[in-house]
């Protein structure tokens, strides 16, 4: 299994509080991604990173920020959590995308905003 | 932009039945196509892939053929097992943008 660890695995938080999810990899892959998974929507890209301090927005980036200060860590922050951000969050990693590139996924973080 | 459309689920089959999960795509250029599987409580893992037209990806008895003329990449298995119960995602990569996923199809196989 690819070395990807997400923490925490489960979290319940209150509306309006800040929340940070962490993704840690041991594979030295350049690209890291945050997706959210919701029923009826599949996986939607929030943000991704193509190198240390290099990030870009995805399809559903509003209300989220990210940081990557080291190759191995990619943080997702909800500045002020809302109930619409209740979801399962997945981190993924890959080499530089090409036609043969495979993405590897973490086990997910279930976040509940009450 | 790039997009993937896959059949709505859930799909419920008896053991040893034939499985087809439809997937069609819209993409610029010549995308690579993937099927990922998500078992209960786990993250996604790659099931199979195809990188050019007429390529057939296969793994664990599953197959999918890249059909450029119909922009499709349907997943098939001749005889499903209870252990195949999972959510299946069709995805594509084109250019240097991240993977784009379909909405997923939940498969339940009953003994």
């Amino acid at each position: 299994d690819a070395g990807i660890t997400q923490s925490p695995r489960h979290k319940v938080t209150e509306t309006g509080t800040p929340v940070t999810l962490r993704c840690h990899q041991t594979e030295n892959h350049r690209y890291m991604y945050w997706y959210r998974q919701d029923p009826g929507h599949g996986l939607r890209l929030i943000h991704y990173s193509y190198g240390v301090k290099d990030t870009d927005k995805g399809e559903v980036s509003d209300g989220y920020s990210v940081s990557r200060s080291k190759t191995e860590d990619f943080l997702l922050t909800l500045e002020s959590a809302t109930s619409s951000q209740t979801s399962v969050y997945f981190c993924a990693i890959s080499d530089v995308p090409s036609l043969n590139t495979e993405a590897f996924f973490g086990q997910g973080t279930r976040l509940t905003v009450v | 932009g790039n997009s993937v459309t896959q059949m709505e689920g859930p799909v419920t089959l008896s053991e040893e039945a034939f499985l087809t999960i439809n997937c069609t795509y819209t993409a610029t250029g010549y995308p690579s196509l993937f099927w990922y599987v998500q078992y209960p409580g786990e993250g996604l893992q790659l099931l199979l892939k195809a990188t050019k037209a007429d390529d057939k990806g296969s793994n664990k008895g599953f197959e999918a053929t890249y059909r450029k003329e119909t922009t499709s990449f349907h997943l098939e298995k001749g005889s499903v097992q209870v252990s195949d119960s999972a959510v299946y995602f069709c995805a594509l990569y084109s250019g240097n943008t991240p993977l784009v996923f379909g909405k997923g199809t939940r498969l339940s196989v009953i003994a």
Side-chain angles (χ1 to χ4, degrees), chain A residues 41-69:
Chain A
H41 292 279
L43 269 78
R44 293 180 291 174
L45 182 67
I46 305 171
H47 283 279
Y48 68 101
S49 169
Y50 47 95
V52 173
K53 299 192 190 316
D54 292 323
T55 65
D56 205 350
K57 295 179 179 180
E59 178 187 356
V60 290
S61 59
D62 287 349
Y64 302 94
S65 63
V66 290
S67 67
R68 189 159 178 211
S69 59

Side-chain angles (χ1 to χ4, degrees), chain B residues 7-23:
Chain B
M7 63 186 287
E8 298 284 332
V11 174
T12 302
L13 295 174
S14 298
E15 212 166 19
E16 300 184 3
F18 185 86
L19 168 71
T20 299
I21 300 177
N22 290 338
C23 171

Side-chain angles (χ1 to χ4, degrees), chain B residues 50-84:
Chain B
T51 59
K52 61 182 188 295
D54 299 325
D55 265 3
K56 178 185 285 188
S58 61
N59 186 25
K60 299 182 180 180
F62 291 89
E63 294 183 338
T65 301
Y66 188 143
R67 301 286 188 199
K68 189 169 182 291
E69 65 274 13
T70 55
T71 62
S72 66
F73 192 54
H74 304 322
L75 182 68
E76 297 181 335
K77 187 175 185 183
S79 176
V80 293
Q81 305 300 312
V82 172
S83 57
D84 294 326

Side-chain angles (χ1 to χ4, degrees), chain A residues 9 31 33 35 37-38 40-43 45 48 88 90 96-108, chain B residues 30-32 34 36 38 41-46 49 51 87 89 93 95-104:
Chain A
R9 292 292 313 280
Y31 278 65
Y33 314 84
Y35 289 88
Q37 183 179 19
D38 303 289
H41 292 279
L43 269 78
L45 182 67
Y48 68 101
V88 180
F90 285 99
V96 176
S98 69
L99 294 181
N100 263 305
T101 301
E102 176 180 352
F104 299 91
F105 285 78
Q107 297 216 319
Chain B
Y30 299 95
S32 292
F34 306 83
Y36 279 80
Q38 183 182 30
E42 299 184 9
L44 279 71
Q45 56 186 274
L46 181 66
K49 65 181 178 184
T51 59
V87 182
F89 292 90
Y93 163 75
N96 60 358
T97 56
L99 280 170
V100 173
F101 287 88
K103 293 184 178 181

